[in-house]
Amino acid sequence: MNATLQQQLASTPGLRARFDEPMAAHTTYKVGGPAAAFVEVHSPDALVRLLALLAAAAVPWLVLGNGSNALFADRGYSGAVLHLGQGFDHVAVARDAGGPGTHRLSAGAALSVTRLLRFVKDEQLSGVEFLGGIPGTVGGAVRMNAGTAAGEVSATLEAAELTNAGGASWVPAAALGLRYRHSELPEGSVVTAARFAVRDADPDMRQRLDAVLAYRKATQPLQAPSCGSVFANPPGDHAGRLIEAAGLKGHTVGGAQVSEQHANWIINRGGASAADVHALIALCRRTVFERFGVELHHEVQLLGDWEVTA
Ligand SMILES: Cc1cc2nc3c(=O)[nH]c(=O)nc-3n(C[C@H](O)[C@H](O)[C@H](O)COP(=O)(O)OP(=O)(O)OC[C@H]3O[C@@H](n4cnc5c(N)ncnc54)[C@H](O)[C@@H]3O)c2cc1C
């Protein structure tokens, strides 16, 4: 990244740029090498300005939310990592905006799912509690169509605000290509806000959320650094069941381990590299395919400068 761009990033109001920033500090896996630039963005205007600067300098970029579904390469990233901050963490409800009893919940992309759920609880609303326990941001949840067995973002998202170098616009959920843990956002766009259709909380709402959280606590290795489930479940089966049946539960590569508790989780037992995790992902895929003829696809996002892709 050239010195002129560095200077522009450092001096643009609403941006806070750091250079050669280790990505291990910004991902729940706690792995990943340095990004050439890590830029916190604090206003919509600053984001548009930043996207224009990066385009003019032909510098690649990506957005990172909470880094909870990210496996960042050990080599790091030669481009800029954008991180939305204050200015993108608003949340509000417009009651009856969708007709009597249907309310519109609006949230900035940087808002954590935890804070979204706290707001919903305080406001006695229901409709997004299936997100309980997902440690991401609203932007990351839209991008990943995050969800659980209880539901996913696409079921309740009305529209997302997308920003590119030309400005911001609202796009209906139906145009975002949302499928199981997947979306098709237009190239070069950042999710900056989302609008969900919610309703009045019913008496069972709190119980449903508690049930989701209790199930997680009982079945998932929440103490160790991870990205949650590594693989999408193949149709009609569970990736964890297949990996366990292939004899890989507990298997380690370096500091990475297929969790003893849940075989679809690969945890960082301490000191893992991204390459360790990646090697274990490749081993699970290969072994499950050889044993059962099922192709597993990883839902964790490989970010940064990888030499190979799993
Ligand atoms: C303990 C644990 C449990 C988990 N449980 C679940 C679960 O039950 N269900 C589930 O679906 N996921 C789960 N996950 C995975 C993860 O939390 C979700 O995918 C979450 O939605 C990612 O949000 P994030 O902000 O951390 O995104 P990041 O990990 O930062 O990014 C993920 C992807 O989204 C892109 N992205 C992020 N923000 C934006 C934005 N504003 N605009 C455009 N693109 C963006 C990134 O470039 C990247 O490609 C779990 C993870 C952990 C660590």
Side-chain angles (χ1 to χ4, degrees):
M1 182 164 300
N2 68 48
T4 311
L5 180 61
Q6 286 198 4
Q7 173 59 33
Q8 287 169 322
L9 296 182
S11 62
T12 300
L15 301 182
R16 179 165 177 261
R18 283 175 258 173
F19 303 101
D20 291 322
E21 175 72 6
M23 287 299 98
H26 298 279
T27 64
T28 57
Y29 246 136
K30 311 278 176 231
V31 303
F38 181 80
V39 190
E40 284 173 31
V41 190
H42 294 295
S43 76
D45 285 349
L47 177 60
V48 171
R49 174 94 182 108
L50 171 63
L51 293 173
L53 285 173
L54 294 171
V59 169
W61 56 268
L62 60 85
V63 198
L64 200 64
N66 272 354
S68 65
N69 204 21
L71 180 58
F72 226 100
D74 294 318
R75 295 203 310 180
Y77 184 46
S78 52
V81 174
L82 280 46
H83 181 71
L84 304 181
Q86 279 169 5
F88 298 93
D89 62 353
H90 50 90
V91 58
V93 61
R95 292 195 181 264
D96 300 319
T102 304
H103 316 303
R104 184 165 291 150
L105 176 67
S106 306
L111 190 79
S112 71
V113 166
T114 309
R115 281 184 54 206
L116 181 75
L117 291 175
R118 198 176 308 142
F119 179 85
V120 159
K121 181 178 163 229
D122 291 348
E123 294 289 327
Q124 300 276 304
L125 301 168
S126 176
V128 289
E129 54 275 19
F130 60 83
L131 290 170
I134 296 180
T137 59
V138 166
V142 171
R143 162 68 181 79
M144 294 308 305
N145 189 19
T148 56
E152 61 185 19
V153 163
S154 61
T156 179
L157 184 74
E158 280 185 351
E161 185 191 58
L162 302 183
T163 298
N164 60 27
S169 58
W170 283 92
V171 177
L176 297 174
L178 298 173
R179 337 186 222 111
Y180 176 51
R181 308 296 170 265
H182 181 83
S183 65
E184 275 154 31
L185 302 180
E187 181 80 18
S189 54
V190 178
V191 177
T192 40
R195 245 174 18 214
F196 303 93
V198 294
R199 54 191 188 279
D200 291 325
D202 55 71
D204 297 339
M205 183 260 184
R206 189 66 229 163
Q207 223 177 326
R208 280 200 302 276
L209 185 51
D210 287 347
V212 169
L213 296 175
Y215 177 78
R216 281 179 175 280
K217 223 170 158 185
T219 59
Q220 300 175 346
L222 299 176
Q223 306 312 321
S226 78
C227 68
S229 293
V230 170
F231 297 101
N233 287 322
D237 210 334
H238 287 95
R241 190 199 73 74
L242 290 161
I243 295 165
E244 185 172 352
L248 290 171
K249 205 171 192 181
H251 195 89
T252 62
V253 173
Q257 180 182 39
V258 176
S259 163
E260 305 265 14
Q261 206 178 345
H262 192 315
N264 194 15
W265 289 45
I266 293 178
I267 59 170
N268 178 355
R269 291 200 307 172
S273 63
D276 292 341
V277 179
H278 188 275
L280 210 38
I281 289 175
L283 179 69
C284 290
R285 287 191 70 182
R286 202 168 56 240
T287 313
V288 165
F289 186 73
E290 283 166 6
R291 291 285 303 277
F292 309 112
V294 177
E295 231 180 293
L296 292 180
H297 298 283
H298 57 84
E299 63 177 71
V300 61
Q301 303 291 298
L302 267 55
L303 303 180
D305 298 333
W306 286 91
E307 275 171 284
V308 290
T309 52

